[in-house]
Amino acid sequence: MHSLLQDLRFALRMLRKNPGFTVVALLTLALGIGANTAIFSVVYSVLLRPLPFGEPDRIVRIFETRLDRGWTRASFTHANFWDVKEMNQAFDDIGAFQFGSMNLTGLGHPERLGAGRVSAGFFQILRVQPVLGRTFMPGEDQPGQDNRFVLLSNDWWRNRLAADSTVVGTSLVLDDESYTVIGVLPHGEPWLNSADVFTPMVDPEPARVSFELAVIGRLAPGVTLDAARSDLEMVARRLEESYPEDNVGMGIAIAPESDWIATSDTRRALMVLFG
């Protein structure tokens, strides 16, 4: 211990005698520590931290593929989504979402809000419990049903409505239609903060020509990724046979939750920077 203290005193005397070197050394240390802290924060957020949902290892992204066109991860068409949701045997449920915008009026000046349209079971797949109220019920995304319901994002509820605890049951006028507020979502990435409001995705006449739906699914208990891939490929072949004009070359791909935020190339680059 005495020797260590002597070494420290000697080091401090040398640093006082060489202020230029001392400044460079301190700046180097500060930059090194800052850079390492920043890179670790990114690596943790992207690669290490699990998604903030129940049993995230059972949640997957699902894509259409058209290998003849070079599409390995395409969005779903509306009709194909509803068919895959109905025909698959590997998932507890499959849900879809689509982001856009809606005009809010009746609360002071008009506002353009980020809006998410989701299938009724989307938040159940994520195992999301609302802060207030409820999420969408089965059937509330079906044509002909009462589906003028809206869920509020946590950020918009706090920032725009001052976290009003009595908001459930009130109405918002969105795109000149009255929607009943049924709940407030918790804060959460990657989906819950991506829009200000969420409404049911209703498709009176779903088509197979526009690839615009992002799709997620929750694996059924005991079902592996490989088994789910095999099941969805069988569904894709059936849809190709049933609708050859629209679904020629159709396939379906799955990405586990660990691959959502970062592709393999991004993960490799981050690990190199971290090293």
Side-chain angles (χ1 to χ4, degrees):
M1 189 67 179
H2 180 70
S3 177
L4 176 61
L5 290 175
Q6 284 185 324
D7 290 342
L8 286 174
R9 292 191 191 100
F10 177 75
L12 290 173
R13 285 197 300 271
M14 295 305 296
L15 289 173
R16 282 198 298 267
K17 291 180 180 180
N18 298 277
F21 172 78
T22 301
V23 170
V24 171
L26 291 175
L27 287 175
T28 302
L29 284 171
L31 288 172
I33 292 171
N36 276 277
T37 301
I39 290 297
F40 178 78
S41 298
V42 173
V43 169
Y44 176 77
S45 299
V46 175
L47 305 182
L48 302 179
R49 184 177 62 187
L51 292 174
F53 307 123
E55 298 179 289
D57 57 311
R58 290 177 54 199
I59 305 173
V60 299
R61 280 288 304 272
I62 307 173
F63 304 89
E64 285 199 43
T65 67
R66 296 291 191 278
L67 298 183
D68 56 330
R69 309 183 202 178
W71 299 355
T72 58
R73 290 189 176 186
S75 300
F76 265 75
T77 66
H78 287 254
N80 283 343
F81 160 69
W82 293 112
D83 285 340
V84 170
K85 176 180 171 66
E86 179 68 26
M87 296 165 65
N88 86 90
Q89 302 293 321
F91 294 85
D92 278 345
D93 198 3
I94 289 180
F97 57 95
Q98 180 182 17
F99 290 119
S101 61
M102 301 182 82
N103 294 318
L104 170 70
T105 53
L107 284 180
H109 62 278
E111 296 178 55
R112 193 163 185 82
L113 304 182
R117 298 174 64 238
V118 300
S119 59
F122 180 78
F123 297 111
Q124 283 77 15
I125 292 173
L126 298 178
R127 298 293 191 263
V128 166
Q129 296 297 321
V131 174
L132 296 174
R134 64 173 179 87
T135 57
F136 302 125
M137 301 291 289
E140 288 182 343
D141 55 4
Q142 297 303 304
Q145 302 296 315
D146 184 5
N147 46 46
R148 297 295 181 184
F149 301 120
V150 62
L151 284 163
L152 310 181
S153 74
N154 200 276
D155 287 350
W156 191 80
W157 172 63
R158 291 182 180 279
N159 296 333
R160 184 64 175 82
L161 302 181
D164 181 4
S165 61
T166 65
V167 69
V168 174
T170 62
S171 297
L172 293 180
V173 179
L174 301 170
D175 287 349
D176 297 325
E177 298 278 355
S178 179
Y179 285 76
T180 300
V181 177
I182 61 170
V184 177
L185 295 168
H187 183 84
E189 292 288 356
W191 315 121
L192 307 186
N193 300 336
S194 300
D196 300 312
V197 295
F198 294 84
T199 61
M201 185 181 72
V202 182
D203 286 326
E205 297 180 1
R208 302 181 197 276
V209 295
S210 182
F211 297 83
E212 56 188 17
L213 294 183
V215 174
I216 64 172
R218 176 172 285 273
L219 293 170
V223 175
T224 65
L225 280 175
D226 288 339
R229 288 189 181 98
S230 297
D231 178 71
L232 291 181
E233 280 301 325
M234 291 176 60
V235 172
R237 286 194 291 272
R238 290 168 60 187
L239 290 176
E240 183 179 16
E241 293 170 359
S242 300
Y243 307 98
E245 183 175 344
D246 296 318
N247 286 338
V248 59
M250 178 185 180
I252 300 180
I254 295 178
E257 59 92 15
S258 61
D259 196 32
W260 286 14
I261 306 301
T263 65
S264 58
D265 289 341
T266 301
R267 296 171 70 87
R268 190 179 302 111
L270 285 175
M271 291 309 295
V272 169
L273 286 172
F274 188 45

